[in-house]
Amino acid sequence: PSHVRSYSEQEWRRMLERAGLEVEESRIVEKSGPLDQWLALVGCDGSEADEVCSLIPHRIRGNDVTTSHVLLRARKVQ
């Protein structure tokens, strides 16, 4: 419910470049937290939550989930 899919780093780079920005730095940051809070944040419950968990078992350890986030710093091309 929160979104259909996450954009890849390459897709984010292309969008920024098309907007006239130059990517100066990028990194991947992993973040862990309670699975139930994350599911509530993204609007999943019941069978939808079960389906999400079945798609990312490698991201779930006990009651926690680890998510990855791409951070990009870009500047307007001069």
Side-chain angles (χ1 to χ4, degrees):
S2 70
H3 52 273
V4 175
R5 67 177 185 85
S6 297
Y7 292 119
S8 68
E9 179 180 349
Q10 293 75 21
E11 288 172 310
W12 278 112
R13 283 177 174 273
R14 280 194 298 272
M15 287 186 279
L16 291 169
E17 289 166 359
R18 285 183 191 140
L21 301 171
E22 180 180 353
V23 176
E24 296 180 328
E25 180 182 354
S26 71
R27 62 185 160 128
I28 304 295
V29 175
E30 291 200 342
K31 196 170 156 182
S32 293
L35 176 61
D36 58 342
Q37 289 180 13
W38 179 73
L39 289 169
L41 179 68
V42 297
C44 280
D45 58 15
S47 63
E48 287 179 336
D50 294 339
E51 183 177 356
V52 167
C53 291
S54 75
L55 295 170
I56 58 166
H58 59 289
R59 295 282 184 177
I60 300 170
R61 176 161 285 146
N63 294 320
D64 287 336
V65 64
T66 300
T67 56
S68 295
H69 307 268
V70 62
L71 299 178
L72 298 169
R73 181 174 64 189
R75 184 178 305 268
K76 186 176 179 180
V77 177
Q78 298 294 327

